[in-house]
Amino acid sequence: AVEQSTEGDSLVHRVRLEPGALHAELQVRAATRPMPAIVGWHPWFPRVLRGGDGLPVGGPVEVDLPAGGMLLRGSDGIPTGEVVRPIPPEPWDDCFVDLARSPVVRWPGALEVTVASEAAFWVVFTEREEGVCVEPQTGPPNGLNAGEHAVVEPGRPLVATMSIAWSAPGS
């Protein structure tokens, strides 16, 4: 576990690795007064998997995102709060909501990675050639300014979890 604190407030990040999965937990704790908080992770995945010989393994990455809606971005790139349905096609640098199940990052014929979290907001970034991101968050981008965040109080921490599980297709 990694712990950081300021004036008694603290953030604890616990990570546990086991065969086939990584589990992470974030806790934000307020010492003496309430404070707003949003936490999340920024997993980055390569578009092309490569073997020890440097050659591609499996097909190019696919992001299977079963979201019910996407937050509309304003001209400044910040979500407006309006939910877009249906979701436009990639590329994305957007925040998604109402997931029916956990997102899957897949390299056909080689590997599947499931990113699971109870987080209500998922930022997915597919605009760069080298990789993609699938990011569970407890609030939307700019949520601290827009009022879409948790309020952490003494004795009532914000706790978020995420698991990244991997397997060969069909296993």
Side-chain angles (χ1 to χ4, degrees), residues 123-137:
V123 173
V124 177
F125 179 79
T126 63
E127 292 186 347
R128 297 192 64 186
E129 269 187 49
E130 59 272 17
V132 299
C133 297
V134 178
E135 309 167 20
Q137 299 180 175

Side-chain angles (χ1 to χ4, degrees), residues 3 18-19 34 36 38 44 60 67 74 83 95 121 146 158 166:
E3 186 164 342
E18 63 183 42
I38 293 174
W44 176 269
V83 178
C95 185
F121 300 90
L158 169 61
W166 51 89

Side-chain angles (χ1 to χ4, degrees), residues 21-121:
L22 176 136
H23 304 281
E25 178 186 83
L26 286 167
Q27 286 187 21
V28 177
R29 299 176 188 156
T32 60
R33 64 187 188 285
M35 64 180 178
I38 293 174
V39 297
W41 292 267
H42 186 67
W44 176 269
F45 303 98
R47 282 200 178 268
V48 177
L49 290 182
R50 298 193 182 279
D53 57 6
L55 296 175
V57 177
V61 74
E62 299 172 356
V63 177
D64 179 358
L65 181 69
M70 180 182 86
L71 300 183
L72 179 66
R73 281 187 292 149
S75 60
D76 58 0
I78 302 296
T80 66
E82 182 182 341
V83 178
V84 175
R85 292 181 175 93
I87 295 169
E90 295 182 56
W92 297 318
D93 181 9
D94 296 285
C95 185
F96 297 86
V97 294
D98 302 329
L99 272 66
R101 60 171 171 70
S102 298
V104 176
V105 179
R106 181 179 298 113
W107 295 265
L111 184 66
E112 290 187 357
V113 174
T114 301
V115 182
S117 177
E118 74 285 350
F121 300 90

